[in-house]
């Protein structure tokens, strides 16, 4: 008989085995939900999949009685715009600061300690300050995401820039390149795929800050809805929203990874 | 194999299971910080609850929960047998969630504790077109709807912004927030800022925002001792805390400390809370036809805002039983105002 250590599943079995825990979780959930609903048909804690489907259908396809909007899509759009704006600003800031501090020793000496200290401030702790300075509107939510994510990206890009072999910089200079040309032709192309990777890693944090900001003050958004209906324990809305956020996060991550592979195929070497 | 279809998941979710089918001797009561509920802090500290529980041969555990919404959700999930909450929340959270609940003790009503506050204007009509920061779906939201009603406006005339109560004070007056609806102690905090005006408050709708102790109806029916012990303890504390004697002030000072304020601060909050210090006063509210009218307002507000479930066909899907009459579906009564135990207290039979 084959030893277990030597058995690796065929590609089809691999997919099936991967799906198995999900199926088990779903079945356990359904049994639990059935058990509770059979005791109390109005139970809100573990709604059936039918109830969740109904709730989301209403939110996605029937205009809200109060505002006339299609709530689900409005929430998704608002949250995505905030997330993209926040992470986008953080990425641009992180790229600039990371490149400059990584490549120019004089800038590094001046700003690297400050950057390190700033990156250690927990962004949620300064949330009340943000609200007082820039109010409760969109700007403060986007700022929170940007502040939460930017130091991480900046430090990552700084490190990646410093890792570029100095031989390349010397070679470019012997060919007559100016500082600006070295930045644009040598450093930037090599750092861009790292930037996309850094953004992928920081998206989880971005979502966290987005939902935290929406929970505190908002008129729409995915985090807003979850914290709003928590008020009357609508798990039939909360659970699908969590699943939807997970799916969106997965899709964004996948798109960025595909973009990286497409734009910078050389960066994939040695990865897999 | 004959798989026990319902038992396995029931066991798996034993932690979440809410059915208190059998008579039992240990009970858990939760409460959160609010002027009208501070007596429960004293109840636990002073041993009064233990005394009454002993009299009826049961155990009662009084637990403070920091987050009000969380306390109601815990009660609805079956973690507690009783919990303090406003009657509107009792309707929209446990009752709509199918947990048959009874208002055992009507403790107080908000008599100015909740207020609509404007910055720079002193007339409620000026609220038109403004953004109003408040905790959505709370009694603040209800107060706003009732206030707008009185001047012929509706919620469509304003823009409601959901804002955590923890952040309301710090952002009010920064220029970003010009209208808010909230409750004490936040109201007095905000009104102490210059150029702020209380343009409508709960004293203008007396008896509509009622706070009390909610008990799981099934648990109560199976264990009348629980109802007797809690009601007895409550009114003993009420008689101890009311008045101006030194001992009453001592009792209130302990409550004030538990609420992280001082005696003066707590008395100021109590001044805007109409406490029912005697069972007779509480009975007057619970037995009144006015209560039926109030609960109709509350149910209609809850329906219009989707709090009875998005799929609810009308405001009267959930039945509310009161001594003076029933509102809503009599076949689906999930919220009951019960005067039995308060009457026993009034008659001195506890």
């Amino acid at each position: 008989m084959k030893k277990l250590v030597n058995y690796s599943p065929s590609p089809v079995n691999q997919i099936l085995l991967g799906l198995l825990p999900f199926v088990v979780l779903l079945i356990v959930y359904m049994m639990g939900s059935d058990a509770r609903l059979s005791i109390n048909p109005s139970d809100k804690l573990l709604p059936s999949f039918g109830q969740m489907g109904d709730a989301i259908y209403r939110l996605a396809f029937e205009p809200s009685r109060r505002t006339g909007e299609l709530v689900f899509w409005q929430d998704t759009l608002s949250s995505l715009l905030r997330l993209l704006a926040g992470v986008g600003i953080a990425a641009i800031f992180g790229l600039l600061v990371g490149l400059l501090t990584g490549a120019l020793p004089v800038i590094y000496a001046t700003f690297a300690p400050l950057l390190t200290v700033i990156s250690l401030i927990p962004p949620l702790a300064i949330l009340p300050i943000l609200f007082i300075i820039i109010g409760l509107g969109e700007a403060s939510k986007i700022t929170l995401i940007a502040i939460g994510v930017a130091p991480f990206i900046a430090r990552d890009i700084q490190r990646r820039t410093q890792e570029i072999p100095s031989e390349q910089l010397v070679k470019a200079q012997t060919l007559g390149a100016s500082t600006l040309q070295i930045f644009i032709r040598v450093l930037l192309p090599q750092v861009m795929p790292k930037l996309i990777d850094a953004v992928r890693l920081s998206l989880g944090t971005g979502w966290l800050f987005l939902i935290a900001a929406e929970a505190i003050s908002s008129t729409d958004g995915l985090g807003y809805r979850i914290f709003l209906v928590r008020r009357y324990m609508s798990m039939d809305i909360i659970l699908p929203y969590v699943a939807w956020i997970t799916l969106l996060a997965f899709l964004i991550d996948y798109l960025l990874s595909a973009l990286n592979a497409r734009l910078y195929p050389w960066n994939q070497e040695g990865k897999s | 194999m004959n798989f026990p279809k319902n038992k396995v998941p029931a066991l798996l979710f034993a932690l979440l299971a809410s059915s208190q089918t059998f008579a039992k001797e240990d009970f858990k009561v939760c409460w959160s910080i609010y002027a009208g509920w501070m007596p429960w802090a004293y109840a636990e500290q002073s041993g009064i609850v233990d005394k009454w529980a002993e009299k009826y041969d049961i155990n009662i555990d009084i637990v403070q929960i920091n987050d009000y919404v969380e306390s109601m959700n815990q009660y609805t999930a079956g973690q507690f047998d009783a919990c303090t909450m406003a009657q509107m929340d009792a309707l929209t959270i446990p009752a709509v969630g199918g947990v048959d609940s009874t208002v055992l003790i009507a403790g107080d009503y908000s008599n100015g504790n909740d207020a609509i506050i404007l910055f720079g204007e002193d007339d409620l009509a000026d609220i038109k077109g403004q953004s109003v920061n408040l905790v959505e779906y709370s009694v603040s939201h209800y107060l706003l709807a009732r206030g707008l009603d009185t001047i012929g406006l509706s919620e469509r005339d304003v823009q409601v912004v959901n804002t955590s109560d923890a952040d309301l004070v710090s952002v009010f007056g920064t220029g970003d927030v010009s209208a808010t609806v909230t409750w004490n102690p936040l109201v007095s905090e905000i009104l102490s800022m210059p150029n702020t005006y209380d343009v409508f408050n709960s004293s203008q709708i007396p008896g509509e925002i009622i706070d009390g102790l909610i008990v799981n109806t099934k648990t109560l029916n199976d264990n009348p001792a629980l109802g007797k012990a809690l009601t007895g303890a409550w009114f003993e504390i009420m008689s101890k805390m009311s008045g101006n004697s030194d001992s009453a002030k001592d009792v209130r000072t302990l409550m004030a400390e538990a609420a992280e304020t001082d005696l003066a601060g707590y008395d100021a909050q109590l001044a805007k809370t109409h406490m029912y210090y005697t069972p007779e006063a509480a009975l007057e509210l619970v037995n009144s036809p006015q209560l039926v009218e109030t609960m109709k307002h509350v149910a209609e507000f809850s329906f219009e805002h989707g709090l009875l479930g998005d799929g609810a066909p009308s405001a009267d899907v959930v039945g509310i039983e009161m001594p003076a009459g029933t509102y809503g579906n009599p076949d689906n009564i999930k919220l009951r105002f019960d005067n039995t135990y308060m009457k026993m207290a009034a008659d001195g039979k506890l």
Side-chain angles (χ1 to χ4, degrees), chain B:
Chain B
M1 193 177 107
N2 190 3
F3 208 67
K5 189 165 161 275
N6 275 334
K7 279 181 188 161
V8 170
L11 276 174
L12 280 172
F13 286 84
L15 267 177
L16 306 170
S18 68
S19 62
Q20 269 97 32
T21 325
F22 305 105
K24 62 169 190 175
E25 302 212 308
D26 290 304
F27 301 97
K28 284 172 80 181
V29 178
C30 61
W31 66 280
S32 48
I33 291 201
Y34 168 70
W37 299 331
M38 295 322 293
W40 291 113
Y42 179 73
E44 190 200 8
Q45 257 180 7
S46 62
I48 288 179
V49 163
D50 291 340
K51 188 186 86 185
W52 282 87
E54 213 165 290
K55 180 173 175 183
Y56 290 102
D57 201 24
I58 53 174
N59 285 318
I60 300 178
D61 198 8
I62 308 272
V63 182
Q64 185 196 340
I65 302 212
N66 273 327
D67 182 318
Y68 174 51
V69 176
E70 197 51 41
S71 74
M72 294 186 291
N73 285 347
Q74 292 283 320
Y75 163 79
T76 309
Q79 302 287 319
F80 289 92
D81 302 295
C83 195
T84 55
M85 62 187 87
Q87 98 278 27
M88 185 179 116
D89 295 317
L91 173 67
T92 56
I93 302 175
V96 171
V99 177
D100 193 327
S101 296
T102 295
V103 182
L104 179 71
I105 304 165
D108 67 276
Y109 68 77
S110 169
N111 195 23
N113 256 330
D114 300 75
I116 303 178
I117 301 172
L118 292 186
F119 186 78
E121 334 229 41
D122 57 3
D123 185 11
L124 178 58
D126 293 324
I127 203 170
K128 194 169 179 181
Q130 296 209 38
S131 285
V132 185
N133 292 68
L134 51 76
V135 179
E136 265 187 76
Y137 299 160
S138 66
V139 288
S140 298
H141 203 162
Y142 175 75
L143 182 76
L144 175 69
R146 295 284 289 135
L148 291 173
D149 242 3
T150 62
I151 54 168
L153 294 181
S154 81
E155 243 190 275
R156 288 178 190 273
D157 296 308
V158 297
Q159 165 80 33
V160 170
V161 184
N162 187 46
T163 307
S164 158
D165 51 307
D167 291 289
L168 269 178
V169 174
S170 61
V171 296
F172 200 84
T174 56
D176 200 49
V177 175
S178 59
T180 187
V181 189
T182 187
W183 56 84
N184 261 326
L186 309 184
V187 166
S188 49
E189 196 73 29
I190 293 175
L191 286 176
S192 69
M193 299 175 188
N195 217 9
T196 52
Y197 299 94
D198 171 345
V199 292
F200 188 86
N201 65 54
S202 53
S203 69
Q204 283 154 279
I205 50 166
E208 285 199 28
I209 300 176
I210 305 164
D211 304 295
L213 185 72
I214 312 296
V215 183
N216 185 304
T217 303
K218 185 159 172 42
T219 310
L220 183 64
N221 289 344
D222 293 344
N223 307 277
L226 176 67
K228 290 179 188 170
L230 288 171
T231 314
W234 176 261
F235 284 110
E236 181 177 338
I237 298 165
M238 286 297 108
S239 67
K240 280 197 167 156
M241 72 179 283
S242 61
N244 269 325
S245 66
D246 283 347
S247 66
K249 279 182 183 161
D250 284 347
V251 171
R252 290 209 299 276
T253 306
L254 283 173
M255 292 180 193
E257 276 165 12
E260 283 170 33
T261 175
D262 53 13
L263 181 61
Y266 184 54
D267 278 347
Q269 291 177 29
L270 278 181
K272 292 186 169 180
T273 313
H274 183 97
M275 296 294 293
Y276 295 115
Y277 287 113
T278 62
E280 289 81 4
L283 278 172
E284 199 177 318
L285 170 100
V286 171
N287 289 335
S288 71
Q290 171 75 37
L291 181 66
V292 183
E293 194 62 24
T294 298
M295 290 316 291
K296 180 169 168 275
H297 278 306
V298 171
E300 280 167 358
F301 169 85
S302 306
F303 171 67
E304 277 159 25
H305 292 81
L307 303 185
L308 301 181
D310 274 326
S314 64
D316 51 14
V317 279
V318 178
I320 306 167
E321 187 183 74
M322 291 154 281
T326 299
Y327 173 81
N329 185 351
D331 296 325
N332 186 32
I333 289 180
K334 292 291 178 199
L335 183 63
R336 301 157 202 271
F337 284 81
D338 187 344
N339 58 10
T340 322
Y341 296 91
M342 287 184 276
K343 199 159 185 330
M344 284 182 192
D347 297 341
K349 286 185 183 156
L350 285 177

Side-chain angles (χ1 to χ4, degrees), chain A residues 20-38:
Chain A
L20 187 66
F22 290 100
V23 174
V24 170
L25 276 177
L26 284 181
I27 291 175
V28 168
Y29 180 88
M30 278 165 72
M31 284 160 61
S33 166
D34 274 356
R36 278 188 71 99
L37 287 171
S38 66

Side-chain angles (χ1 to χ4, degrees), chain A:
Chain A
M1 207 178 103
K2 213 172 178 182
K3 290 197 183 73
L4 193 58
V5 283
N6 294 323
Y7 173 74
S8 46
S10 67
V12 175
N13 281 347
Q14 225 162 27
I15 294 173
L16 290 178
L17 282 173
L19 285 175
L20 187 66
F22 290 100
V23 174
V24 170
L25 276 177
L26 284 181
I27 291 175
V28 168
Y29 180 88
M30 278 165 72
M31 284 160 61
S33 166
D34 274 356
R36 278 188 71 99
L37 287 171
S38 66
I39 297 168
N40 170 10
S42 313
D43 183 61
K44 285 179 147 187
L45 202 60
L46 301 178
S48 71
F49 288 104
Q51 287 170 326
M52 288 192 248
D54 285 350
I56 289 304
Y57 181 85
R58 270 195 303 275
L59 290 178
F61 300 111
E62 290 173 14
S64 143
R65 264 194 296 241
R66 269 175 63 207
T67 56
E69 284 166 350
L70 295 174
V71 169
F72 180 76
W73 304 112
Q74 181 62 41
D75 284 345
T76 306
L77 184 68
S78 302
S79 284
L80 282 181
L81 285 178
R82 285 170 194 146
L83 184 74
L84 294 182
V87 173
I89 291 169
I92 293 167
F93 172 88
L95 179 66
L96 284 176
V97 172
L99 262 183
L100 288 172
T101 55
L104 304 175
V106 64
I107 306 262
Y108 180 83
T110 319
F111 291 108
L114 177 69
L115 183 62
T116 308
V117 170
I118 289 179
S119 72
L120 292 175
I121 300 174
L124 281 180
I126 57 167
L127 191 58
I129 307 173
L130 277 186
F131 278 146
I132 290 170
I133 296 175
I134 46 184
L136 294 171
E138 292 299 295
S140 64
K141 297 183 192 81
I142 293 170
T143 312
L144 178 70
I145 299 170
I147 290 183
V149 171
F152 166 79
I153 296 181
R155 290 182 79 190
D156 193 50
I157 296 300
Q158 181 187 70
R159 179 62 62 84
R160 303 287 159 229
T161 310
Q162 286 170 336
E163 275 171 11
I164 292 171
S166 57
E167 286 85 349
Q168 288 188 16
L169 304 186
V170 173
K171 191 180 277 181
Q173 286 172 70
T174 58
L175 291 169
S178 66
T179 300
L180 184 67
Q181 281 172 323
I182 291 177
F183 263 101
I184 294 174
R185 303 292 294 274
V186 180
L187 297 178
L188 192 62
Q190 296 194 65
V191 160
M192 278 309 287
K194 314 289 184 198
L195 178 70
I196 295 178
D197 280 340
V199 166
R200 283 177 62 194
L201 282 176
S202 58
L203 271 172
T205 325
W207 277 103
L208 172 71
F209 292 127
L210 171 74
I211 287 168
E214 286 182 343
I216 288 171
S217 166
S218 208
T219 52
D220 56 11
L222 297 167
Y224 159 82
R225 192 72 50 198
I226 287 178
F227 278 84
L228 183 66
V229 301
R230 163 179 178 264
R231 179 91 209 171
Y232 55 106
M233 222 174 144
S234 277
M235 298 303 278
D236 55 343
I237 295 176
I238 294 177
L239 293 175
Y241 261 65
V242 172
W244 176 237
I245 289 174
T246 313
L247 179 67
L248 286 176
F250 175 80
L251 283 178
I252 296 174
D253 187 68
Y254 178 79
L255 282 176
L256 283 174
S257 140
L259 184 74
N260 220 355
R262 173 105 191 220
L263 290 179
Y264 308 101
W266 49 267
N267 187 49
Q268 304 295 310
E269 284 165 25
K271 262 195 173 176
S272 56

